[in-house]
Structures are given as structure tokens and as C-alpha cells.
Amino acid sequence: MNLITPIIDLFYPRLCIRCGSKLNTVEKYLCSHCFAGIPVTDSHKLRINPIANAIADMIEVNEAYAWFYHNRKGSYGKLIYDIKYSSNFNLARYLGCQYAKELKQAGKLKDIENIIPVPLHSSRKKLRGYNQSEKIAEGVASVFGAKIRTDMIIRQRATPSQVKKSRYERWENMQDAFGALPPVSGEEEKGILLIDDVITTGSTLLACASTLKKAGYKNISIMGLAFSNVL
């Protein structure tokens, strides 16, 4: 495949998603310059973790991380847009994998055994054709060797868009939106990682975490690919 790639690139050049420059044979989706410029949160390195701070007064979770800051109007917003609306599954897996490598190298999420992508309601999944969080989870699972579980939590009702809602309105919007499968013997102690594409107020992930805790699960962490502090 390494011999074929330069030939394919000659006739069908791959372009950086952010800046549009031609990628070399070892670059994927982003050129080296744009990859280095990803506006990272460093949430797994900082003593004061901005992701944990955003949810601290709502529910207790073990660990909370997101890779980069997201602004829909910013140049890196294209990454989330392509994952969410353009069926770019490979990009979702790639970014999930890259962030998971960073977290694993830093010794984070060591006890994760089950990964749960935030579920879409069946009507929205049918309309879109896929769940972008599942694709991100596939990349994360490939690094941690954890099992992706789409059966442990279900979307019980469709919810209106969260865009332009306040923090409290987002939390209200998600109440009773999910249901959880009760744990079998011993499963309640297993480490769970909930994954979403973007964390804004954290209301969706925390509604999932709350549902799991009520069902009897104890060790829950959350991860977003991106963190938006621009409401």
C-alpha cells in the first residue's frame, strides 16, 4: 500500500481538511502544520481541568477530557462538521485514535473496559444514517482495547436541538432522555467511558452518566473530541 499511495496522490491528491494544501504520503487528513496547530485543551495535563470544571457542580465522574477547543465558525470547526454531517467515518476514527494515544501515554483512563458512545434517537440516526460518536469510539477502542457497548444505554426520546439553549435549558432538555440496561453481577464496577463529539455544557454526557449511576454503575468517565465554551 505504501508503494501505491504516492501514485494515487499524483493523480488524486489528498488535501488538508483545514487549509486545503496537498498532503504528503505520511500525512492524514491534516497537514503537519495544521495538526500541530490544533487548539488543544491539554485537559489531561492541567491541574485545573476546564472540562472537569464545566461539570463539577452537576454530577461526579472519575475523569473528564476533551482534545481541542471547538468554535463552529473557526477554521478547525471543519473537523467536527465533516464528522457530524459529511459521513467522514475515517476522520472520526483517526481523531479518536490520535487523542486516545495521547491519553494512554499520559496514563489516563487506565481502568476503562466499556466504551459507550452517546446514542442518537432512532429517528435522528435514520435521518443521518450513522452515529458520529460511535465512529469516534471505534478509534478510541482500538487504542485502549476496550469493548464498544451500544446496548447499555438507549435514547428513549428525541430531544430538540441544544443550539442556542442556556446551560440550564440544555440540562432540562436532556432529562429522562436515556434509559440504561441494569448491570449484571460484577459489571457495575467496570470502568465506563462515555464519548460524545462535542462537549459544550456537558448536559448530554452527564444525563447519560446520571442514568448509568441510577442503574447501578459506579465508575464512569467522559470524553469529548472537542470542547466548546462558546454557547
Side-chain angles (χ1 to χ4, degrees), residues 143-207:
V143 173
F144 283 100
K147 184 184 294 185
I148 296 176
R149 297 288 300 272
T150 58
D151 60 326
M152 290 175 70
I153 190 166
I154 61 168
R155 194 94 177 213
Q156 297 184 142
R157 63 177 178 86
T159 52
S161 172
Q162 299 276 62
V163 177
K164 296 185 179 178
K165 290 186 182 294
S166 69
R167 188 169 187 246
Y168 178 75
E169 288 171 334
R170 287 170 183 252
W171 178 251
E172 283 265 289
N173 191 35
M174 299 311 301
Q175 295 309 296
D176 303 317
F178 302 99
L181 185 73
V184 298
S185 179
E187 196 169 45
E188 64 272 7
E189 298 289 346
K190 290 184 177 181
I192 293 172
L193 178 64
L194 285 164
I195 291 183
D196 206 356
D197 54 352
V198 180
I199 300 173
T200 302
T201 63
S203 57
T204 303
L205 281 167
L206 294 180

Side-chain angles (χ1 to χ4, degrees), residues 1 10 18-19 39 59 76 91 101 119 121 130 133-134 149 156 158 176 180-181 186 190 195 197 207 220 222 225-226:
M1 186 62 187
L10 181 65
R18 177 178 177 266
C19 72
I59 190 172
Y76 284 90
L91 173 63
K101 287 178 180 177
H121 189 264
Y130 63 101
S133 295
E134 285 185 25
R149 297 288 300 272
Q156 297 184 142
D176 303 317
L181 185 73
K190 290 184 177 181
I195 291 183
D197 54 352
I220 301 169
I222 65 173
L225 196 59

Side-chain angles (χ1 to χ4, degrees), residues 79-80 83-84 88-100 115 117 131-142 148 195-198 223-226:
L79 299 179
I80 298 299
I83 289 170
K84 201 162 188 172
N88 199 336
F89 305 153
N90 289 332
L91 173 63
R93 295 185 189 103
Y94 173 74
L95 294 177
C97 178
Q98 294 306 303
Y99 189 39
I115 294 177
N131 179 355
Q132 70 278 3
S133 295
E134 285 185 25
K135 305 306 175 183
I136 297 168
E138 288 171 8
V140 176
S142 70
I148 296 176
I195 291 183
D196 206 356
D197 54 352
V198 180
M223 193 203 96
L225 196 59

Side-chain angles (χ1 to χ4, degrees), residues 37-87:
I38 291 174
V40 295
T41 70
D42 277 338
S43 56
H44 63 292
K45 299 177 182 178
L46 299 175
R47 185 176 61 85
I48 301 176
N49 177 344
I51 317 306
N53 274 2
I55 63 169
D57 60 342
M58 299 174 77
I59 190 172
E60 184 179 349
V61 296
N62 292 3
E63 301 178 65
Y65 307 113
W67 190 9
F68 58 90
Y69 288 104
H70 171 61
N71 184 332
R72 284 180 295 138
K73 297 179 181 179
S75 58
Y76 284 90
K78 184 73 164 56
L79 299 179
I80 298 299
Y81 186 90
D82 273 23
I83 289 170
K84 201 162 188 172
Y85 302 111
S86 298
S87 304

